[in-house]
Amino acid sequence: MSAPVLLLASAAAPVVDIDGTIFIQAGIFLVLMAILHPLLFQPWLAARARREHAIGGTLLAATELRLEAERFGATYEARLATVRGEAATVRSDAVKSAEADRQSRLAEIRAASSAEMQGLRARLSQEAEAARDTLNTRIDELALDVATRILGRTP
């Protein structure tokens, strides 16, 4: 058979015949619906509704938890900023206190060293004066001794 003949033959014969079996098919369909509705469709629809409810509840709970976490995060950041400010204040006070302590110790050490220097200068001045007095009393004797050594003879 050729292709055009096949096309004409298939166009002439209907694919679905409407006859007396349509009532049997409709009856089978309605019986199956009556049997499958409580056994298959209702449990499936109930499971689907439970799943959607669980997913919706979980999404709602997740949203609430995220909002609560954001609130806790904001509270934490605020407290952290406060504590950091207090720590900076304490650190600044400690640095100022240490600097003031260092300055007072430095002033004490300078005063003590200045007093010690004055005492040493006075002592050095006294010892220099005593040495001058000693040298002044012995100047003639020392000059004679130096002249004797240089000239090599006694006067």
Side-chain angles (χ1 to χ4, degrees):
M1 275 198 200
S2 69
V5 174
L6 268 169
L7 285 175
L8 284 175
S10 66
V15 177
V16 177
D17 288 332
I18 299 179
D19 55 7
T21 61
I22 191 141
F23 297 111
I24 295 171
Q25 290 175 1
I28 291 172
F29 177 76
L30 291 175
V31 168
L32 279 175
M33 284 299 293
I35 292 171
L36 291 179
H37 184 70
L39 294 177
L40 180 68
F41 295 130
Q42 280 183 349
W44 179 73
L45 290 173
R48 187 171 170 202
R50 281 192 310 268
R51 186 178 336 140
E52 286 179 6
H53 178 66
I55 289 172
T58 304
L59 288 175
L60 181 63
T63 304
E64 289 175 359
L65 287 175
R66 184 175 44 84
L67 292 174
E68 186 177 351
E70 288 176 0
R71 283 193 308 268
F72 282 140
T75 303
Y76 171 77
E77 289 297 327
R79 279 197 276 163
L80 186 62
T82 302
V83 169
R84 282 184 178 159
E86 291 173 1
T89 303
V90 168
R91 188 178 326 115
S92 175
D93 291 345
V95 167
K96 287 178 184 176
S97 174
E99 181 64 23
D101 188 40
R102 186 184 73 82
Q103 289 293 336
S104 68
R105 285 184 183 176
L106 187 61
E108 289 174 7
I109 291 170
R110 282 184 179 159
S113 64
S114 177
E116 188 176 341
M117 285 293 287
Q118 289 297 329
L120 289 175
R121 283 185 183 147
R123 187 173 137 211
L124 184 62
S125 177
Q126 288 173 355
E127 288 179 4
E129 189 62 37
R132 277 192 207 107
D133 289 343
T134 303
L135 287 176
N136 281 335
T137 58
R138 293 188 56 210
I139 197 158
D140 291 332
E141 183 182 313
L142 289 174
L144 182 64
D145 188 37
V146 170
T148 304
R149 287 188 185 170
I150 291 176
L151 297 174
R153 60 176 192 193
T154 59

